[in-house]
């Protein structure tokens, strides 16, 4: 899957989105989505050209997108007119495993930031609870989907 924001951190699309987001933040109070995206952008900027961190970050982006898809699949199954409890249980287990992977990836990136001598205070900004990490990931995944959609529509 191609993400403008993950394949080319210095790319034009990412810089445009970064400046637009920065401008929006400077002109008003940040909501939950804006805070999540701000943390995401700050992490991406801090990684710079560190290839090892960039690979871990790409894995984290993929985990966030996967988690969002798993949550959506579970929610759709629950909203069916005649929900299948077996399928709901299966989808919930997949969601939980995806969530565990996401948390592991967030923690790994934080540890690697520390090893590289980089500020990893963003880890606390994301939040320490499972719920906070999941909320952050869903906001980031929506941002990534928007970036991907914007890139594909320019083709």
């Amino acid at each position: 899957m191609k993400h403008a924001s993950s394949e080319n951190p210095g790319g034009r699309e990412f810089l445009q989105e970064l400046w637009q987001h920065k401008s929006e933040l400077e002109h008003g109070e940040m909501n939950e989505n804006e805070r999540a995206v701000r943390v995401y952008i700050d992490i991406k900027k801090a990684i710079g050209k560190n290839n090892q961190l960039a690979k871990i970050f790409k894995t984290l982006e993929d985990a966030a997108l996967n988690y969002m898809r798993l949550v959506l699949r579970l929610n759709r199954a629950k909203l069916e007119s005649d929900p299948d409890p077996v399928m709901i249980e299966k989808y919930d287990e997949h969601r939980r495993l995806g969530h565990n992977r996401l948390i592991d990836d967030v923690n790994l990136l934080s540890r690697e930031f520390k090893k590289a001598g980089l500020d990893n205070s963003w880890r606390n900004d994301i939040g320490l609870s499972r719920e906070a990490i999941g909320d952050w990931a869903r906001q980031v995944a929506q941002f990534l989907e928007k970036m991907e959609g914007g890139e594909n529509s320019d083709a």
Side-chain angles (χ1 to χ4, degrees):
M1 184 175 297
K2 188 173 181 183
H3 302 288
S5 60
S6 62
E7 287 189 3
N8 188 359
R12 189 182 72 184
E13 296 88 4
F14 176 73
L15 291 176
Q16 287 172 337
E17 185 71 24
L18 175 66
W19 282 108
Q20 177 185 351
H21 192 74
K22 183 179 179 190
S23 175
E24 290 168 359
L25 295 178
E26 289 173 349
H27 292 97
E29 195 69 27
M30 284 193 289
N31 65 32
E32 179 182 347
N33 180 53
E34 292 167 333
R35 281 191 297 276
V37 172
R38 170 87 280 145
V39 170
Y40 168 82
I41 290 171
D42 289 347
I43 295 169
K44 190 170 201 63
K45 284 175 28 184
I47 288 172
K49 296 190 182 295
N50 184 318
N51 289 333
Q52 179 184 358
L53 291 177
K55 287 178 186 176
I56 297 168
F57 188 69
K58 173 68 172 114
T59 301
L60 174 57
E61 288 176 321
D62 291 343
L65 287 164
N66 183 57
Y67 178 65
M68 181 181 73
R69 289 181 188 117
L70 293 170
V71 168
L72 290 173
R73 183 176 70 174
L74 174 61
N75 289 342
R76 278 192 303 267
K78 288 178 177 179
L79 293 174
E80 289 181 2
S81 60
D82 186 21
D84 180 352
V86 173
M87 289 307 294
I88 289 174
E89 186 176 332
K90 176 183 169 186
Y91 291 162
D92 191 41
E93 175 69 9
H94 290 169
R95 181 211 48 82
R96 187 183 60 77
L97 292 173
H99 198 183
N100 290 347
R101 175 183 168 212
L102 170 71
I103 292 167
D104 289 345
D105 290 342
V106 167
N107 290 334
L108 174 62
L109 185 62
S110 177
R111 286 191 305 272
E112 292 301 318
F113 259 62
K114 190 172 184 174
K115 283 183 193 175
L118 297 173
D119 178 17
N120 68 343
S121 62
W122 54 264
R123 180 61 188 89
N124 286 328
D125 295 337
I126 289 173
L128 302 177
S129 71
R130 290 180 64 83
E131 181 180 2
I133 295 167
D135 290 346
W136 177 81
R138 286 192 301 275
Q139 299 296 332
V140 167
Q142 289 173 355
F143 174 75
L144 292 172
E145 290 286 334
K146 177 182 167 194
M147 291 291 290
E148 182 179 272
E151 177 184 301
N152 291 337
S153 64
D154 290 342

